Amino acid sequence: MTIPPEIHFKDVDLDAIAAAKGKIAVFIGADGKLDAGARRVNRLTRKALTRLTESDAFGKMDGGDIKTLAYPMGLAADAVLVVKLARRPDMTAARKAGAQLAKAMGDTDLLVVAGRIRRADEIALGLALRSYKFDDHKTGDNADRGAVTFMVSKAEEVAKSAGPMGAIAEGVFFTRDLTNEPANILTTDDFAARLAAMQELGLDVEILEEGDLEKLGMRTLLSVGQGSASPSKVVVMSWNGGGDEAPFALVGKGVVFDTGGISLKPAAGMEDMTMDMGGAGVVAGVMRTLALRKAKANVVGLVGLVENMPSGTATRPGDVVRSMKGDTVEIINTDAEGRLVLADVLWYAQDRFKPAGMINLATLTGAMVVALGHENAGVFSNSDDLAGAFLKAADVEGEGAWRMPMGKAYDALLKSRIADMKNVGGRAAGSITAAQFLQRFVREETPWCHLDIAGVASVKKETAFAPAGATGWGVMALNRLIADRYEA
Ligand code: BES
Ligand code: MN
Ligand code: ZN
C-alpha cells in the first residue's frame, strides 16, 4: 500500500534553519515582503531572496509557482524552494502550492518554513496528495521519500486541523492503489481481502460469496462474472459513527477487468480496463477516510466485484437473465456489464438498508468520455437536492462534475421485444440510457445520484494533485458531502 508522507508540525525555531538538511521552503507574497523565516534565510544566504524578489522573474511567477535556488551559501540545505503565495491563500491556492512543493522536493527531507501563513494544513494536504507514486511493481529506483516538517506558529493547533486531512490523503491513496493495480494482482479475491483488512480501522466488512448472491437472486450481477475463473462477490462495508438514523449508501462498480466478454473489446487500449473497478475503488477510499477520521455519520459502502471474461461459460448476447428486483433483462451486448452489476447491488442496498440517500460510482460508459472528456464526471440524479449538494461539494474540492439530463424518452430506448428491458439503448445518448437503466433499480423514494467516472477515474496526463494514472476523483467530494449533510 502506498502511504502518504508523514508530515510533522513544530513551532518556529529560526535558529534551526541554517543547519537543516535537504531542502527548505519559504513563502513570499506578490508584494515581495519577507516574513521572519524568509528574512532569516535571506540573511544567511546574503540576500539571495532579495535578489529574486527584485528580479523580473519574480514578477512573472504565478501564485503557487516555485523557484529553486540550488546549493545556497550560508545554509546546510541543498536548495531553497521559494514559493510565491499570498499570506492568506484560499483553499485551492494553498493545496496547489503544496502540490508544487511535492514535485520540487524530490526524495530529500523538506523543511517548510510556514510561520504565520494561513491554511498550512491545506498546503500539507496538497503536498501529500501530489507525492503519490505507484511504484510497487518497479524494482530498484524506488527510494524512500524524505521527511516533511512544517515550522508554523501554533503548531499544535495546525497539527490538529491537519489530522482529518491525513485521513483524506490516505483514503485517496487507497483508491489510487486499487485503481492502478493490474488485474492479475487485484483479482476479486484480492480486492475483497484488502477491504476485509479495513476491519482493523473499525469498519464492519461482510463478504457475500457466489452462493449467497445466488440465494439473493442476483442473477444480473452473476451473469457478468460467470465466464471468469475469479468468483464474483459483493462486499458490504459499514461505518456506524452516527446515531440510529438510516445510513447513506455508496455503491461502486468493481469490474476488476473488462474484456467486454463475448462482445469482446478491440485489442488497442484494452489494458486500460484494469481501472474498470474505479467506482468500487472510490467507495473503498471514502469508507477508509470516514473510518480514519471517525466520522459522526452512518454510511454503508457496497461494491460488486466481478471479472468480465469471454469463455465457454460466459453470458452470450441474447441471453435473458432475471435481476434480484425481479425484472428480466435481455443482454444484447455483454460489454454493457457495469449496469448489470450495479442493478443488483443498488437493489440490495435499498432492500437491506433503506438508505436516506444513495450515490453510485462507475466507469460506466465510453460515451461519457466523449461527452465531458477528462475534466468532469457526469452526474445523473432523481433528486435536485442531492445532486445540488454533491455538485457543491465537488466544486469546493476542485473535482469536476457536471449534471446530465434524464427522462422518459431516454428510458423508452431500453424496450426489449422479449424481456422487460435490454441492457443497451443504442448509440445515441449512451451515457444517459445507461443511467436510465440504473434508475429502473432505484426506488422512487430514494434520493439517488449516479456518477459516471469513466473519464476521470484514471488519466494519461498528470493532474494538479496526481501523477498520470488513477486520480482518486470523488473521494474528497463524497467525504465533504457526508460531513456537510450528516456531521454539520
Ligand atoms: N467499462 C466500460 C466503459 C469505459 C470505457 C470506461 C472507457 C472507461 C473508459 C463499459 O463497461 C463499457 O464497455 N461500456 C460500453 C457500453 C456499450 C456496449 C453500450 C461502451 O461504452 O462502449
Ligand atoms: Mn464493458
Ligand atoms: Zn466496464
Side-chain angles (χ1 to χ4, degrees):
M1 219 183 82
T2 314
I3 313 273
E6 247 187 76
I7 299 181
H8 300 279
F9 296 90
K10 62 177 203 189
D11 286 314
V12 177
D13 173 10
L14 296 178
D15 294 333
I17 290 175
K21 294 257 171 34
K23 297 191 177 70
I24 296 175
V26 296
F27 300 91
I28 305 182
D31 59 9
K33 268 201 203 140
L34 307 185
D35 65 8
R39 279 204 302 276
R40 174 62 67 99
V41 170
N42 200 33
R43 180 150 67 73
L44 291 166
T45 59
R46 295 223 233 136
K47 306 217 163 158
L49 300 186
T50 307
R51 290 179 63 197
L52 173 62
T53 57
E54 286 173 354
S55 71
D56 289 347
F58 185 74
K60 287 186 187 134
M61 287 168 76
D62 285 328
D65 282 357
I66 292 179
K67 280 268 184 280
T68 301
L69 311 178
Y71 303 105
M73 65 162 131
L75 295 177
D78 306 336
V80 177
L81 308 178
V82 182
V83 190
K84 191 172 187 180
L85 190 69
R87 303 193 47 73
R88 293 170 177 273
D90 64 25
M91 196 184 92
T92 310
R95 287 186 185 177
K96 284 197 171 148
Q100 292 300 328
L101 281 173
K103 288 179 69 172
M105 73 176 278
D107 291 332
T108 68
D109 289 353
L110 175 66
L111 174 64
V112 182
V113 186
R116 286 175 197 288
I117 204 150
R118 294 303 160 94
R119 299 206 158 88
D121 50 352
E122 300 283 0
I123 296 173
L125 176 58
L127 195 162
L129 290 172
R130 188 59 187 82
S131 67
Y132 178 84
K133 248 194 219 158
F134 186 66
D135 54 14
D136 291 8
H137 304 300
K138 294 225 192 231
T139 57
D141 69 343
N142 32 12
D144 279 347
R145 254 186 311 270
V148 180
T149 307
F150 275 64
M151 256 187 199
V152 286
S153 57
K154 304 205 183 123
E156 214 170 303
E157 246 174 63
V158 179
K160 201 166 158 229
S161 65
M165 297 189 191
I168 290 172
E170 205 175 306
V172 170
F173 277 33
F174 191 52
T175 300
R176 288 178 184 171
D177 275 358
L178 290 166
T179 307
N180 279 326
E181 199 70 274
N184 61 325
I185 294 167
L186 193 78
T187 58
T188 56
D189 284 313
D190 183 67
F191 200 150
R194 292 186 193 203
L195 299 182
M198 288 206 290
Q199 287 177 118
E200 281 170 33
L201 306 176
L203 281 162
D204 280 336
V205 182
E206 190 184 335
I207 301 174
L208 306 180
E209 302 290 352
E210 277 184 353
D212 305 312
L213 304 178
E214 203 75 70
K215 271 186 217 134
L216 286 161
M218 293 202 195
R219 286 296 323 157
T220 60
L221 182 147
L222 287 165
S223 75
V224 176
Q226 73 189 35
S228 168
S230 290
S232 300
K233 296 170 196 285
V234 170
V235 181
V236 183
M237 295 161 271
S238 312
W239 176 254
N240 298 307
D244 340 304
E245 73 272 15
F248 194 83
L250 299 172
V251 175
K253 166 179 173 180
V255 177
V256 295
F257 195 75
D258 181 13
T259 64
I262 298 298
S263 312
L264 193 64
K265 286 182 181 296
M270 199 199 277
E271 69 279 7
D272 292 344
M273 286 302 115
T274 197
M275 53 68 105
D276 208 22
M277 36 50 64
V282 174
V283 172
V286 175
M287 296 310 294
R288 191 174 193 95
T289 294
L290 296 176
L292 285 169
R293 70 172 181 79
K294 303 210 181 332
K296 292 192 170 50
N298 296 337
V299 181
V300 54
L302 300 98
V303 295
L305 307 181
V306 301
E307 186 180 38
N308 189 19
M309 296 289 265
S311 85
T313 61
T315 295
R316 293 157 287 258
D319 284 3
V320 173
V321 295
R322 185 186 296 273
S323 67
M324 178 182 173
K325 181 185 174 196
D327 293 356
T328 57
V329 181
E330 182 187 8
I331 299 178
I332 301 294
N333 189 322
T334 64
D335 197 12
E337 85 297 342
R339 61 198 76 183
L340 298 172
V341 174
L342 288 173
D344 276 339
V345 185
L346 288 169
W347 192 256
Y348 178 71
Q350 295 165 96
D351 196 55
R352 175 162 168 198
F353 295 103
K354 315 274 179 296
M358 179 165 70
I359 294 186
N360 75 256
L361 298 102
T363 48
L364 202 64
T365 63
M368 201 69 250
V369 190
V370 176
L372 299 178
H374 303 289
E375 309 305 322
N376 287 285
V379 180
F380 303 82
S381 184
N382 64 357
S383 159
D384 291 345
D385 172 54
L386 184 59
F390 178 77
L391 288 167
K392 193 178 139 218
D395 183 53
V396 173
E397 295 294 342
E399 295 179 324
W402 195 259
R403 182 103 184 245
M404 298 284 290
M406 298 189 72
K408 273 211 178 89
Y410 296 111
D411 182 76
L413 299 171
L414 296 170
K415 262 193 202 125
S416 159
R417 181 175 58 85
I418 62 166
D420 296 336
M421 70 194 90
K422 306 187 285 192
N423 75 329
V424 293
R427 256 179 65 81
S431 301
I432 307 178
T433 52
Q436 295 292 160
F437 184 94
L438 297 182
Q439 193 176 8
R440 287 181 174 228
F441 299 89
V442 176
R443 290 180 190 275
E444 225 164 278
E445 67 269 20
T446 310
W448 158 79
C449 282
H450 152 53
L451 308 177
D452 191 336
I453 61 170
V456 297
S458 182
V459 295
K460 304 272 179 215
K461 280 195 210 134
E462 68 166 324
T463 62
F465 297 108
T471 61
W473 182 99
V475 173
M476 297 197 293
L478 289 167
N479 175 61
R480 179 171 292 274
L481 177 80
I482 286 156
D484 287 353
R485 236 173 142 79
Y486 296 99
E487 301 174 82

